[in-house]
Structure formats: structure tokens, C-alpha cells
Amino acid sequence: MAGRPVTSGAVTRFAPSPTGLLHLGHAFSALTAAAQGDFLLRIEDIDRDRCRPEYEAAIFEDLAWLGLTWPVPVMRQSDRMAAYREALARLSPLTYPCRCRRGDIRAALSAPQEGALPAGPDGLIYPGTCRGRSHAEAGPDDVIRLDAARAFDALGRDAVAFTDQGTRHVLTRQQFLDGIGDVVLSRRGMGTSYHLAVVVDDAAQGVTLVTRGLDLFASTHIHVLLQHLLDLPVPDYLHHRLIRDTAGRRLAKRDDARAIRQYRAEGASPANIRRMVGL
Ligand code: GLU
């Protein structure tokens, strides 16, 4: 199996969303993860509107072509709704239903603010309009937000921290409140959010080293807070560099030109792909 170390002991994973074809950035991410230890695959398909079975099939096929293997059955987030519901219920004393739409949030933030609106890894920093609403008041279209200040207080913590390749990264309570805020734990019509699902599943799969791109670095602080709140172990992290196109832009799923499929069709080998991403 490609990219497998002789010993390591880490349990790691690649967790793509089947919303498009895998590109060079995904190949790099999966190969980097597989080089760290026992490699798991997880399909992150909570966004039923954007996920497609044909993309999921293409993920399996492209990864196998790259030389990766993984245990089956593969965990699929759409099968895990009961686990997310349970986690949400446990967090309910620290969450509230929010009925604000993006426009409401923008309007509330623009009033005191000149120029660019404050945003973090979960989007605009929520101004707190619905904070304090009770679950009894929840409407069917509400999202569920974490009251981040109360969460830190309940834990008696003034910071969250994680280790990335031996370096400890700390974010204080105040930095979290200013730069991230009340994150969404359950999206409209989804029953969970990326942040909640990823934390619940990494723990359920026994992942000890989360390998992911640097674009998710700021989100990791959210995940560590949730791990503490849910009494889950905090894994180690490896945030890897991002693969960029020739103009220096991060690759996105819409960049079909850099899809692994496309290179395969043009006759590239797995070794060519490794070289292209600098492995
Ligand atoms: N599913 C996420 C994505 O495709 C990555 C999840 C993670 O590494 O935490 O961007």
C-alpha cells in the first residue's frame, strides 16, 4: 500500500465530501494522511443537496487508483444522524435556536461596523441577536448555535489548545469570541453541521491524528472546544500545505482541469500525481 510507514501507531483519515471530483489537493491530502499511520476513509455527505453518488463512486475509484486502501465499510455521515442528534442533545444547555438569516446578520453587523464585516472560520461573527432564546421557541427553519461564552464558562477554561506536529497552538476564550463566535452546530434542514459531525465521527472512528489542509486550521479550535464539551479525546493535528494552481489560488472542486480523473485520462500515473504535488 502506498505511503504507509513501517510503524507509527497513529490512526488517521481522509474525509472528503462527494460534491465534486477529487483534484490534486485531495490527492495530496489523502496521500499525506496515509503516510502517517492507519488510514481511514470517511464520506462527509451531510449536505444532501450538494452530494452525489457518482462523486462518491469517483472518490473510491480515484483513491484506489492512487494505491490507497482502507477498511470497509466506510463511514458515511448520512448514516450517522442519530449520533449527531445525541451530541446536540447533550450540548443543548449551551445552545440556542437562531432564526437570523444571512441578511439579518449582515444588517446587525453593519450598523456599528465600517468596511468589511468581521468573519471567522464559521462565516460572519454572529452578533448574538438570538442568544438566550430557549429551545421551546425554536422554529422549524432555525439553526442551532453554540453559546461560545457560556461554553467556555461551563468548562472553566480560558483557552483551547491543540498540537500540530509538536507545536502547541492556543486560542484564548476572548480570541475565540472575537474571531469565531457562536458557531452553528445544526444547519437548516441538516440536523448537524460540519463542525459537530467531524468531532463526533473522528472520536467514533478512534482517529488519533487528524490530517487536513491548512484552510481548516482556524476551524480546529472549534473542534477542540466541542471535544471538551462532549468529553471526547483531543487528537493530534497535522495541517498540511495547500496545493495551489499556477496563479497561486487554492484548488477547488470546480477546477475540473486539475481533477485526478482528468490527469488519468491524459495518461498520468499515480507516480506522476505524487510528483505533481511534491511527494
Ligand atoms: N469534509 C471536509 C472537506 O472535504 C474535510 C473534513 C476534515 O478534514 O475535517 O473539506
Side-chain angles (χ1 to χ4, degrees):
M1 177 169 141
R4 196 108 187 235
V6 184
T7 52
S8 158
V11 177
T12 188
R13 68 2 174 229
F14 176 56
S17 298
T19 56
L21 292 172
L22 296 188
H23 55 58
L24 287 184
H26 296 107
F28 179 65
S29 197
L31 291 166
T32 301
Q36 304 303 316
D38 289 333
F39 175 74
L40 303 177
L41 180 62
R42 181 170 71 233
I43 296 294
E44 301 216 321
D45 59 349
I46 54 173
D47 188 344
R48 304 306 293 157
D49 292 339
R50 292 176 57 227
C51 294
R52 301 266 178 277
E54 57 271 29
Y55 289 136
E56 187 183 299
I59 287 171
F60 294 144
E61 227 242 306
D62 285 339
L63 293 178
W65 176 82
L66 280 171
L68 297 170
T69 59
W70 53 87
V72 288
V74 168
M75 182 180 279
R76 205 181 263 116
Q77 290 192 324
S78 54
D79 294 334
R80 303 260 309 141
M81 290 319 218
Y84 309 142
R85 240 188 330 269
E86 191 191 310
L88 259 186
R90 277 185 64 191
L91 295 173
S92 66
L94 300 172
T95 63
Y96 59 90
C98 171
R99 61 183 159 200
C100 297
R101 300 301 174 106
R102 217 182 135 72
D104 304 321
I105 299 174
R106 295 192 79 86
L109 288 173
S110 329
Q113 191 82 19
E114 298 263 321
L117 298 178
D122 198 50
L124 294 171
I125 311 294
Y126 184 62
T129 320
C130 288
R131 198 178 294 140
R133 271 179 93 221
S134 80
H135 288 285
E137 296 171 76
D141 289 334
D142 289 2
V143 305
I144 304 291
R145 287 184 184 275
L146 179 70
D147 185 331
R150 279 178 50 220
F152 274 93
D153 294 346
L155 289 168
R157 282 182 177 271
D158 53 15
V160 282
F162 61 87
T163 302
D164 184 319
Q165 298 160 87
T167 302
R168 196 149 176 80
H169 296 273
V170 180
L171 193 77
T172 66
R173 174 188 191 273
Q174 199 56 50
Q175 287 170 326
F176 192 110
L177 300 184
D178 294 343
I180 298 176
D182 288 0
V183 293
V184 173
L185 298 187
S186 177
R187 300 210 159 272
R188 215 177 314 283
M190 271 192 216
T192 185
S193 68
Y194 157 66
H195 303 300
L196 184 70
V198 89
V199 161
V200 170
D201 290 345
D202 280 333
Q205 290 193 291
V207 170
T208 60
L209 177 65
V210 172
T211 308
R212 58 160 67 125
L214 268 168
D215 53 329
L216 291 170
F217 185 89
S219 290
T220 296
H221 298 106
I222 303 171
H223 304 167
V224 174
L225 180 63
L226 292 176
Q227 284 150 2
H228 290 309
L229 291 169
L230 291 167
D231 285 319
L232 300 173
V234 177
D236 285 334
Y237 287 86
L238 188 167
H239 295 92
H240 59 69
R241 67 184 162 86
L242 301 176
I243 303 295
R244 299 183 182 275
D245 67 13
T246 43
R249 282 182 305 251
R250 185 158 75 81
L251 297 184
K253 290 226 177 76
R254 59 185 175 278
D255 292 326
D256 279 357
R258 285 176 179 75
I260 298 170
R261 287 274 127 150
Q262 188 58 34
Y263 289 109
R264 287 175 64 183
E266 289 163 10
S269 69
N272 295 145
I273 300 284
R274 285 176 165 276
R275 226 167 295 126
M276 277 183 236
V277 297
L279 286 172

